[in-house]
């Protein structure tokens, strides 16, 4: 495709976007990011994953995005860097500690965590304030991290199912250790209540544990059989508002594009499943993201298979496997790049309160925030 044809595709997409997006804003980072982490309802933290020195930034989203009326009168319509700093290595995982101005990161090379202070009104510098040691010395693929709101800042971290622990940040003391004989590489860690968490493995196994007890964790195997070469990514639909963890829905997505929904009350049976319309190919553990919408019942977002972010409505899926088409696709990262660039989405995240607002980042350093229109609702 030559340059005039590329311009035509871009023009067509921008015209189409007037009908398919309520809001769409773009930003360009100097280096791409694999992490987008909310630090408030209007700010996110991003960081580069290059092999050496990288920026770590806190960005404020365009104020115009949050203007309910008279958006045209809102002067500021761009992202703004409010705090910034540098890391000595890559950032492959990053989590904000609720109730604090701290974020915790991991470089994807070891089990050690880096602790950062985001700064405040008197300083625009993000600076490293400490580190947290992991249970394993060597950690291929790096540690996964989860954090919860507590009186003393704490983080849950580990690279494999056998080395997960809860650590108090101030003292560095371990408060809980997941006791299991397995050593499965983790794809994610996630609290589903203040005490109950999921340790999700790349082979599809999910360990359900309670930090209040020394009891052995429950094991939830993948509802469908998979080969050794298949990777799985997992997300749970609950949060601090979920009083009963057994009511949580779990989505497991395989590298072959199969998505399986189950719940903790019946862990071995698939409540529903579908074969997603994704470009299945060899994936690394850090490539793919699947996430439940926190304020839009039954919807998930999927990215990492291509240059698009796909939204699926799981409420129409059935127990038997069938093909599913996306409810919406955000293709903005690829249409604004050259076809030979091979741009792919590196991360996405839903807004915690705005039902159809997401942020996404791509391998070309682009960051988009977009509010999509559900065309099926109109029809």
């Amino acid at each position: 495709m030559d340059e005039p044809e590329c311009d035509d595709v871009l023009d067509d997409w921008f015209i189409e976007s007037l009908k398919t997006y309520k809001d769409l804003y773009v930003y360009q980072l100097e280096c791409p990011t694999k992490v987008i982490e909310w630090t408030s309802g209007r700010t996110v933290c991003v960081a580069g994953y290059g092999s050496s020195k990288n920026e770590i930034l806190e960005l404020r989203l365009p104020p115009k995005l949050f203007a309910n009326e008279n958006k045209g009168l809102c002067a500021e319509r761009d992202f703004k860097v409010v705090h910034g700093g540098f890391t000595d290595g890559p950032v492959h995982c990053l989590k904000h500690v609720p109730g604090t101005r701290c974020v915790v990161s991991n470089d994807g090379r070891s089990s050690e965590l880096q602790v950062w202070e985001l700064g405040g009104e008197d300083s625009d510098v993000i600076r490293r304030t400490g580190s947290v040691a992991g249970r394993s010395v060597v950690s291929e693929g790096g540690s996964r991290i989860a954090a919860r709101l507590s009186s003393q800042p704490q983080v849950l971290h580990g690279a494999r199912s056998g080395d997960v622990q809860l650590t108090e940040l101030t003292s560095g003391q371990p408060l809980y250790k997941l006791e299991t004989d397995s050593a499965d590489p983790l794809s994610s860690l996630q609290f589903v209540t203040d005490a109950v968490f999921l340790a999700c493995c790349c082979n599809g196994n999910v360990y359900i544990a309670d930090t209040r007890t020394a009891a052995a964790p429950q094991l939830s195997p993948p509802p469908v059989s998979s080969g050794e070469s298949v990777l799985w990514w997992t997300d749970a639909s609950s949060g601090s508002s979920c009083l009963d963890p057994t009511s949580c829905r779990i989505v497991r997505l395989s590298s072959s594009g199969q998505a399986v929904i189950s719940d903790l009350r019946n862990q071995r049976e698939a409540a529903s499943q579908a074969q997603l319309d994704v470009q299945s190919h060899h994936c690394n553990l850090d490539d793919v993201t699947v996430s439940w919408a926190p304020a839009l019942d039954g919807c998930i977002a999927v990215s990492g298979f291509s240059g698009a972010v796909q939204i699926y409505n799981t409420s129409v899926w059935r127990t038997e496997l069938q093909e599913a088409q996306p409810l919406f696709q955000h293709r903005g990262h690829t249409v604004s790049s050259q076809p030979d660039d091979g741009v792919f989405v590196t991360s996405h995240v839903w807004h915690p309160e705005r039902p159809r607002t997401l942020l996404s980042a791509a391998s070309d350093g682009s960051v988009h925030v977009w509010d999509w229109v559900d065309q099926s609702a109109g029809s």
Side-chain angles (χ1 to χ4, degrees), residues 254-327:
S254 77
S255 51
S256 62
Q258 186 172 353
V260 182
I261 310 294
S262 59
D263 62 56
L264 300 187
R265 292 167 294 190
N266 186 6
Q267 301 162 25
R268 295 184 178 274
E269 297 293 330
S272 61
Q273 56 183 320
Q275 180 65 42
L276 305 189
D277 184 24
V278 297
Q279 299 174 13
S280 180
H281 58 86
H282 175 73
C283 298
N284 295 316
L285 199 53
D286 286 334
D287 290 348
V288 173
T289 305
V290 57
S291 61
W292 286 101
L296 194 62
D297 191 40
C299 284
I300 61 171
V302 173
S303 69
F305 289 99
S306 67
V309 182
Q310 297 181 327
I311 311 295
Y312 288 89
N313 179 11
T314 69
S315 63
V316 299
W317 295 359
R318 301 186 297 272
T319 53
E320 64 274 13
L321 184 66
Q322 79 274 358
E323 294 186 356
Q325 294 298 313
L327 185 66

Side-chain angles (χ1 to χ4, degrees), residues 172-282:
Q173 293 298 312
L175 305 175
Y176 169 89
K177 294 183 178 180
L178 182 65
E179 299 298 340
T180 174
D181 294 331
S182 68
D184 302 325
L186 295 175
S187 58
S188 63
L189 287 169
Q190 182 177 1
F191 279 103
V192 292
T193 71
D194 288 340
V196 177
F197 71 87
L198 306 180
C200 309
C201 305
C202 66
N203 62 4
N205 285 337
V206 174
Y207 291 90
I208 305 130
D210 192 323
T211 59
R212 298 168 298 187
T213 175
Q218 291 179 267
L219 172 61
S220 172
V224 293
S225 60
S226 60
E228 292 183 0
S229 60
V230 175
L231 294 176
W232 289 86
W233 297 270
T234 305
D235 191 43
S237 65
S238 64
S240 58
S241 60
C242 181
L243 300 178
D244 180 10
T246 61
S247 66
C248 300
R249 289 169 298 167
I250 297 175
V251 56
R252 281 178 260 211
L253 173 64
S254 77
S255 51
S256 62
Q258 186 172 353
V260 182
I261 310 294
S262 59
D263 62 56
L264 300 187
R265 292 167 294 190
N266 186 6
Q267 301 162 25
R268 295 184 178 274
E269 297 293 330
S272 61
Q273 56 183 320
Q275 180 65 42
L276 305 189
D277 184 24
V278 297
Q279 299 174 13
S280 180
H281 58 86
H282 175 73

Side-chain angles (χ1 to χ4, degrees), residues 13-25 308-309 311 328-333 335 356-358 360 368-375:
W13 182 78
F14 273 119
I15 293 172
E16 176 193 350
S17 70
L18 297 176
K19 298 181 293 182
T20 54
Y21 294 90
K22 182 179 176 183
D23 286 294
L24 174 62
Y25 301 93
V309 182
I311 311 295
F328 184 85
Q329 292 193 78
H330 175 62
R331 300 183 293 109
H333 294 285
V335 298
R356 293 184 176 84
T357 299
L358 295 92
S360 55
H368 294 182
V369 57
W370 39 283
D371 191 314
W372 56 283
V373 175
D374 184 1
Q375 301 285 348

